[in-house]
Amino acid sequence: MPDVFGWLQAFFAKNGDLFLDATVDTLIIVSVSTLISYVFGIFIAMISKVTEPGSLHPLPLINAILGWIINMGRSIPYVILMVALIPLTRLIVGTGIGVAAAIVPLTIAAIPFVARMVENSFSEVSPGRIEAGKAFGASTIQILLKVYIAESLPSIIRGAAITYITLIGYSAIAGAFGAGGLGDVAVRFGYHRYQTEIMIATVIILIILVQIVQSLSDLIARRLDKR
Amino acid sequence: MIEFRNLSKTFESKEGTHKALHDINLTIANGDIFGIIGSSGAGKSTLVRCINLLERPTSGAVLIDEIDVTNYKGRQLLDLRARIGMIFQDFNLFSQRTVLQNVTFPLEIRHDKHEHAVQRARELLDLVGLTNMEKRYPAQLSGGQQQRVSIARALANHPDYLLCDEATSALDTLTTDSILELIKQINRDLGVTVVIITHAMSVVEAACNNVAVINDSCIVEQGSVNDVFSSPKADITRRLLRLEVGEANA
């Protein structure tokens, strides 16, 4: 029987730092992108919800334009968006490669995605509860914060997990273009240098990351949900 | 006092225009329990929503305590709504808030001190008979208990008026009776003027002093409950009465 344990020990002794650094990079890239995209995404979702026909301040034209921009943002394949945004990325972070540079296109790609997810979560709040909020004299901003967001928080958390996991996938694509992180390791070592074991190890780390994020978000959402 | 003067409401949609209310003239005196009855689609829900301007009348005026509020906007509108409590058929409680947090909601949005809001909410939960339930969530309560929470929530701001939109339609007969008793007690002890929207004559009979019958967007008959019940003039009133007598005998 081959010495599996010994082999693994040697493998991680040699490559452990590489994986650790790459994992930390991926987590930084994805966490920061998710966070920033939610700040913008929730804001856009709120505007979109409020301007919907029959909503608090119906503005059909603005709503339609916003919806069109969101859909357009979601239609562009990530690889293309990333390359197209290189000038903007350079402008914002001063460089086209590395962790900071990966955050810019990832955030921009995530914003329309997040806006739609949050808007969907808002739609789960029954119109009757919105009316109740209005009837007690809540202002539009109070209805958004204390009714829409508060009532759909478990659903928003579940959406955030989906976003986070999707961005882990996107960040791997970015890695292939020198952005750092696990995708970078998989391409540089696993693909270009034919080190299959590194490729497999990267994939396993990604699988574990996704599982942890999903389980954690399920747990939080279930704790929060009082329905 | 709530007054409707020549009030009309028309809804515009792609399918065309729909006249929900036509030339409504009605006065609801302070301290009264006033019933507005009609079959579904008659316009009664729209009418009650014109009081707190959840619906804007297309023409005519709404007066509250002799002040024309029809065109209230902004802060003035929010302040007006805070003086008018409302309860709903589906309760519309906030599912992610505890019973206590539901009752403090109207105070919270008016930036009341937290301790004061909690104290007021506890008083009201005592009043509606839900002492010790404050930490529960709406999903853990029965329909009758949920409507009691929503009554407590509607009273949080010391409103002058309480609007009840089909408030007992989702409840069984016994629970309906107990909720109507509670509403009568609130009217008697707190002096809150109550407007009850319903399609059930039995609700009007059990709780109201005066009643208006609404049919096809118009008020067809109004007066004291005794007069309207003993000598109904409009066809629809007779039909609504006969229907329920029929049900009771069946």
Side-chain angles (χ1 to χ4, degrees):
Chain A
M1 197 183 131
D3 182 6
V4 176
F5 187 71
W7 183 86
L8 277 177
Q9 216 172 15
F11 180 71
F12 278 106
K14 191 175 154 222
N15 301 310
D17 282 349
L18 181 71
F19 288 131
L20 190 68
D21 287 350
T23 306
V24 169
D25 279 356
T26 294
L27 288 178
I28 291 173
I29 292 168
V30 175
S31 302
V32 173
S33 304
T34 304
L35 217 65
I36 302 175
S37 62
Y38 264 82
V39 172
F40 287 97
I42 288 181
F43 183 70
I44 294 171
M46 293 201 298
I47 295 176
S48 179
K49 194 77 217 172
V50 165
T51 55
E52 226 173 56
S55 186
L56 300 163
H57 297 285
L59 293 167
L61 187 68
I62 300 219
N63 189 262
I65 293 172
L66 206 57
W68 189 72
I69 293 173
I70 291 173
N71 283 340
M72 200 174 65
R74 293 200 308 155
S75 321
I76 303 170
Y78 180 61
V79 188
I80 293 168
L81 186 75
M82 198 176 60
V83 175
L85 285 175
I86 288 174
L88 180 72
T89 306
R90 287 225 173 91
L91 195 73
I92 295 175
V93 296
T95 168
I97 54 166
V99 171
I103 290 171
V104 176
L106 209 53
T107 303
I108 290 173
I111 288 171
F113 184 74
V114 170
R116 269 288 183 266
M117 295 271 261
V118 173
E119 214 189 327
N120 270 340
S121 297
F122 285 171
S123 301
E124 290 169 24
V125 182
S126 68
R129 284 188 201 132
I130 307 306
E131 192 177 42
K134 277 168 87 174
F136 296 119
S139 64
T140 302
I141 190 77
Q142 284 173 326
I143 289 173
L144 282 166
L145 298 177
K146 288 178 182 288
V147 185
Y148 272 122
I149 292 187
E151 286 290 297
S152 63
L153 199 57
S155 167
I156 291 176
I157 302 273
R158 288 195 182 92
I162 296 175
T163 306
Y164 199 94
I165 289 166
T166 306
L167 291 195
I168 289 178
Y170 281 6
S171 81
I173 301 177
F177 290 79
L182 288 164
D184 183 40
V185 170
V187 171
R188 265 197 299 143
F189 294 86
Y191 186 69
H192 291 310
R193 298 190 198 170
Y194 304 106
Q195 289 177 294
T196 313
E197 65 278 8
I198 292 198
M199 174 98 81
I200 292 170
T202 328
V203 172
I204 290 172
I205 294 174
L206 286 170
I207 292 173
I208 293 170
L209 280 185
V210 169
Q211 286 297 340
I212 291 174
V213 170
Q214 189 63 58
S215 305
L216 214 62
S217 83
D218 283 348
L219 187 77
I220 297 171
R222 224 174 312 129
R223 279 276 167 81
L224 280 178
D225 204 345
K226 307 299 181 189
R227 275 175 295 182
Chain B
M1 190 163 70
I2 301 169
E3 269 179 276
F4 297 109
R5 283 194 193 155
N6 307 108
L7 186 110
S8 292
K9 170 75 183 177
T10 314
F11 288 104
E12 306 276 351
S13 73
K14 279 175 194 148
E15 290 80 42
T17 58
H18 166 65
K19 197 145 205 164
L21 295 170
H22 179 67
D23 199 24
I24 302 286
N25 285 288
L26 191 64
T27 303
I28 299 169
N30 278 347
D32 201 0
I33 302 184
F34 196 100
I36 297 173
I37 187 167
S39 43
S40 19
K44 53 195 193 302
S45 278
T46 308
L47 184 61
V48 78
R49 277 166 178 72
C50 285
I51 300 173
N52 54 6
L53 299 170
L54 289 174
E55 294 288 356
R56 293 268 175 189
T58 312
S59 65
V62 183
L63 285 81
I64 291 180
D65 294 333
E66 292 172 37
I67 296 165
D68 187 341
V69 299
T70 323
N71 295 313
Y72 270 23
K73 283 188 183 68
R75 182 69 8 222
Q76 222 178 9
L77 174 64
L78 301 185
D79 288 344
L80 171 78
R81 284 178 176 163
R83 287 171 51 206
I84 304 172
M86 188 167 189
I87 62 174
F88 307 86
Q89 176 169 2
D90 303 319
F91 324 128
N92 292 336
L93 293 173
F94 302 117
S95 58
Q96 307 295 349
R97 288 174 161 253
T98 62
V99 163
L100 187 78
Q101 289 166 340
N102 263 284
V103 181
T104 57
F105 179 87
L107 300 166
E108 204 180 300
I109 57 175
R110 302 192 67 73
H111 308 292
D112 247 39
K113 277 220 177 63
H114 181 68
E115 304 80 56
H116 171 258
V118 169
Q119 190 196 337
R120 172 75 182 147
R122 290 204 173 117
E123 274 169 36
L124 288 165
L125 288 173
D126 284 346
L127 175 77
V128 300
L130 292 177
T131 320
N132 300 328
M133 295 258 190
E134 63 175 62
K135 290 206 174 69
R136 301 224 193 160
Y137 286 88
Q140 299 167 304
L141 303 179
S142 70
Q145 288 171 328
Q146 290 192 47
Q147 196 58 292
R148 283 169 186 270
V149 177
S150 86
I151 290 172
R153 179 177 66 172
L155 295 175
N157 266 322
H158 299 274
D160 305 320
Y161 302 95
L162 177 63
L163 312 180
C164 310
D165 182 23
E166 296 278 8
T168 56
S169 299
L171 304 172
D172 62 58
T173 324
L174 283 178
T175 315
T176 296
D177 286 348
S178 75
I179 292 291
L180 292 177
E181 277 313 311
L182 177 61
I183 289 172
K184 276 154 72 174
Q185 183 199 333
I186 287 161
N187 167 264
R188 196 172 56 232
D189 297 350
L190 307 179
V192 175
T193 306
V194 181
V195 182
I196 294 181
I197 297 291
T198 181
H199 62 268
M201 278 293 192
S202 56
V203 170
V204 173
E205 193 179 14
C208 301
N209 307 317
N210 291 292
V211 64
V213 183
I214 186 163
N215 189 44
D216 276 341
S217 320
C218 300
I219 290 181
V220 290
E221 181 159 7
Q222 58 175 305
S224 78
V225 170
N226 277 340
D227 290 349
V228 172
F229 272 57
S230 57
S231 52
K233 291 180 195 70
D235 233 24
I236 182 75
T237 319
R238 277 195 287 271
R239 284 223 307 276
L240 283 165
L241 275 168
R242 212 178 307 135
L243 227 68
E244 290 205 8
V245 172
E247 268 172 25
N249 291 343

